[in-house]
Every structure is written in C-alpha cells, then in structure tokens.
Amino acid sequence: MADLYTVNKSPFEKNSLEDAIRFSSEGASILLIEDGVYGAMAGTAVSDLVAGATGRKFYALRADLKARGIAEDRLIDGVELVDYAGFVDLVVNHDKVQAWL
Amino acid sequence: MSDVKKFMYLNRRAPYGTIYAWESLEVVLIGAAFDQEVSLMFVDDGVFQLVKGSDTSESDMKNFTPTYRTLGDYGVRHMYVDKASLEARGLTQDDLIEVAWEDWETEEEVDNIVEILDSKEIAKKLEESDVVFSF
Amino acid sequence: MKLAVQVNEGPYQHQATDSAYHFTKAALEKGHEVFRVFFYHDGVLNGTRLTTPPQDDRNIVNRWVELAEKYDLDLVLCVAAAQRRGIVDDGEAERNGKDATNIAPKFRISGLGQLIEAAIQCDRLVVFGD
C-alpha cells in the first residue's frame, strides 16, 4: 500500500498540488477536493503537473467539480471521480492520509 | 494499542501572520506527554518558523520562536527542513535556530536535530510516518 | 475501520468543515467507526449553538449535532482554541468567570490530548483545513 495525499487548494493559488507530487513516490494516490479540483482540468497552464506525474493515481471529488461547473469532459485523462463514499474507501485502502492544505 | 507510533507534524505556514504555526506547536508540546516518536517537517513558508532573531516587542504578539529551541526537551527527535523551500527563500542552515536533544536515560546527545533534506528524503520520511498532522 | 477526523476551520468561511462533515457521514454510513471529530484552530467555531445562518443555507452546527445524535459521535473542541475564540461551556464559564455559555449540544470542550489520543487509537487520521 501507499499513502493518500489530499489537496484542497487551487494550483493557481498555492503549490500544494506540486508539493503532493514532489513529496510522493510512485504508487501514491492524490485526491483533489474543494478548490483542489481545479488541478484536474485539462488545457490549463498547470495541467502538465498532473499529466506528467507518472506513477501517481489522481482522483477528484465529484461534488466539488460539479459545484464549480467543471464538466467531466474538461478533465485530464486518467483522473477518476469519486463521491464521499469513494473518498472513505480511498482513506481505508491506503496506509495513511497526508493533507496538503 | 500500546505500540509507539511515528508522528509527523507537517508545517507549511509562516509564523505570526496566522496562528497555525503557534497552535501547531501547542499540539507538539502537549503531545510530548504521550511518548510517541515525534518528528517535525518544515516545508514551503513553514521554514520561516525556524528563522533566528524573531523580536515581537513592537508587534505585541506572543513570541513563540524560542519555544522551538526547547523541543528537544519535549521528546521531539527530528526536525526536518525542505532544502528547496529553504533555498527558494534565500536561506541557509545558518539562518535557522539550533535545537539540541538529549536522551536522559542513555545520555545520547545530539547538538542540533534540525536537518536539511532533499525532496526524495522528505517523501521517504513522510511515508515512514504512521500519522501526519497538517495545520 | 477506526477513523479520527480533525477540523481546522470554522463554518461558512471555508469548505473544510463541509468536507469533514460529508466525509464523516459517509464513513459512518459505510459502517466505519469514527472515534472522534476534533475541532482545532477556528474549527472550534463549529461548536457554538448561537449560529444563525440564513434559512436557505445549510445549518452547519445543527448538522454536526444531528449526526452526533444519530451515531453517538464524539465532537471535541480544543479547550485552548475555544478559550481564545470565546466558545464556552458550563465548566469553562465557571473557571474563567464568564456570564454565559454558547456551546452547542453534543459538543464538549477538552484538551489537545484528545487529538493525540485519537491519532494513537485510530487506524487513520484525516485532516480538513485551509
């Protein structure tokens, strides 16, 4: 197993997503919640962060994407959507959770 | 559960601008009573928490910088600093306070437990921890 | 699995407490044990019963209370953080000579040791903050 990293900041505001990638190893999972979901959008100035982070699995919280009007067809390929129950499953199925606020 | 857990306190905010650094430190101080294996990590603006020479006399704020120097007495064994964050802020280890540590039973002593690590080493320390507290 | 939740932000100002609530509720509904929700920093503001949000918005405080009633959830406000921010129960009012209390039902005020204990006892600690 590996760790789950949660990121709740827009990558345009703070470097939390960059940190989560930099301080994780291959096999880690990164869950984008709250303003963190902006990091899941394709075609932005920071999309390469996620697209280029090989060996990390990215998830985004569906409720937070929907609240912000981000359609699923705007997302970076490979980002998986979860609901809160899926969030709980991710927590349970990883060694621990690191919150990158 | 009687096993000792590895606690990691992840500090990414500057002191004084917000209360996070100070209230995070309060958790570390209280947590000392629980005899866990405690490490602190300083990343991003968190590295500013360890900068020497803080003087809050004109700002009327509680100066908690000296408290970091006592952390060795509170059972903190490691204080790790992200090299890239430090360099990005124009700082070196000389700018940071020193924190001594001593094991009262074995008389093992360490002059300074503040240690600068690169990204890979930090990732490893975080992964080896059992619990990560973020503030 | 045994989970602990830490909430670092107050209601309405930041989504952290909403995320924490929905996460906690989902965990309980899936049959996990949530050993404790620990409110720290401005998170202690989740525990005042005097909150009066507009009628067309969610009532964040009541939502926690209802969840606690349904699942016998342990909602703990850090005493040091609560004292700074004026969240008061009977004990604190007496100790500090305050003329009122404002703690919401099902919440209790206790020390930071409760956070440490939760981290030791639980399989996972999940932190929600700014």
Side-chain angles (χ1 to χ4, degrees), chain B residues 37-91:
Chain B
E37 190 180 323
V38 177
S39 302
L40 274 62
M41 182 70 77
F42 298 87
V43 173
D44 298 323
D45 280 354
V47 303
F48 288 132
Q49 293 180 26
L50 299 182
V51 170
K52 284 190 265 201
S54 164
D55 175 0
T56 59
S57 56
E58 278 189 54
S59 59
D60 195 25
M61 297 181 89
K62 181 184 172 73
N63 188 340
F64 56 88
T65 303
T67 308
Y68 290 98
R69 293 183 199 270
T70 68
L71 286 179
D73 301 332
Y74 284 91
V76 174
R77 184 62 189 85
H78 297 284
M79 294 170 70
Y80 301 116
V81 178
D82 173 41
K83 187 165 184 277
S85 300
L86 201 61
E87 286 176 358
R89 287 157 183 79
L91 301 172

Side-chain angles (χ1 to χ4, degrees), chain A residues 4-76:
Chain A
L4 176 68
Y5 296 66
T6 60
V7 172
N8 74 336
K9 288 290 173 305
S10 163
F12 305 101
E13 180 204 351
K14 196 176 170 182
N15 63 345
S16 302
L17 175 59
E18 199 184 328
D19 275 354
I21 294 168
R22 183 158 71 96
F23 297 120
S24 61
S25 307
E26 294 212 354
S29 297
I30 298 175
L31 170 64
L32 308 173
I33 66 170
E34 301 168 12
D35 288 349
V37 298
Y38 289 118
M41 290 173 69
T44 74
V46 298
S47 297
D48 286 349
L49 263 182
V50 169
T54 51
R56 277 77 161 173
K57 174 72 188 162
F58 288 89
Y59 300 86
L61 196 67
R62 183 183 292 116
D64 289 342
L65 282 166
K66 284 169 74 174
R68 288 158 181 80
I70 307 171
E72 290 188 28
D73 61 7
R74 295 287 303 272
L75 300 184
I76 296 163

